[in-house]
Amino acid sequence: MVQLALLTGMRVGEILGLRWKDLDFSAGLIRIEQANYRGILGTPKTQCSRRTLPFPKLLIEPLQALQRTSKLREPDALVFQTNRGTPFSDTNLLKRALKPAGKKLGIPWLNWHSLRRTHCTLFQVAGGSLRDAQAQLGHSKASTTLEIYTIPIPQNQRDRKSTRLNSSHV
């Protein structure tokens, strides 16, 4: 789930609402059709949240392995499910897994939202456009993506400034 959040920027509710039929391994696409909010499966947060994302190649094998070992594998089954086949609680996962892992790694502020913001920031550093980041995250407004989800990285700013200065003197 953490890898999926980091590599796609999906909301935790969208991850918890994924069904096997939403993962198109052959076409390399992830369809976000529903979300799980506090145990209730429903539509994604906004109309723009209903979207199709590129399937990160790094996730294909781990998710196929999860599918092979999953108790419920039919197309409508949840990708991430409890032993009873119900959606996990994002709050329980945060308290029992994500926060303790963050504490061990020395990043006690780690949460689901920080994974989403990290994805957006790295997307920008890699050269992705604001419009593409907005679509990737499912935001209605580009200002939300830019002002809330994109974090300036000082080293990246220095590197870009240095590159601009060096290329202008050539």
Side-chain angles (χ1 to χ4, degrees), residues 159-170:
D159 292 347
R160 285 190 182 179
K161 185 176 180 181
S162 172
T163 302
R164 282 193 306 265
L165 288 174
N166 289 336
S167 63
S168 66
H169 295 297
V170 176

Side-chain angles (χ1 to χ4, degrees), residues 50 87 97:
R50 190 177 292 252

Side-chain angles (χ1 to χ4, degrees), residues 34-87:
Q34 68 178 11
N36 171 17
Y37 182 73
R38 303 290 188 244
I40 299 171
L41 290 168
T43 59
K45 189 174 177 181
T46 67
Q47 187 61 34
C48 291
S49 298
R50 190 177 292 252
R51 61 201 186 280
T52 301
L53 302 176
F55 206 132
K57 289 180 182 164
L58 288 171
L59 292 178
I60 291 174
E61 178 51 39
L63 285 170
Q64 285 176 331
L66 178 63
Q67 188 177 37
R68 285 190 297 274
T69 61
S70 188
K71 199 165 72 172
L72 297 173
R73 291 179 270 210
E74 62 266 6
D76 283 327
L78 294 169
V79 173
F80 302 103
Q81 55 186 273
T82 66
N83 290 333
R84 297 179 315 228
T86 58

Side-chain angles (χ1 to χ4, degrees), residues 104-154:
K104 273 186 184 177
L105 295 169
I107 45 176
W109 44 264
L110 182 65
N111 61 37
W112 294 112
H113 195 73
S114 64
L115 297 173
R116 192 163 149 79
R117 289 180 70 185
T118 299
H119 171 80
C120 187
T121 300
L122 294 176
F123 189 90
Q124 176 199 19
V125 169
S129 72
L130 176 59
R131 180 66 83 194
D132 288 341
Q134 176 188 356
Q136 179 84 13
L137 295 174
H139 289 148
S140 304
K141 297 178 183 177
S143 60
T144 302
T145 307
L146 182 62
E147 295 168 12
I148 298 172
Y149 287 83
T150 306
I151 304 161
I153 299 175

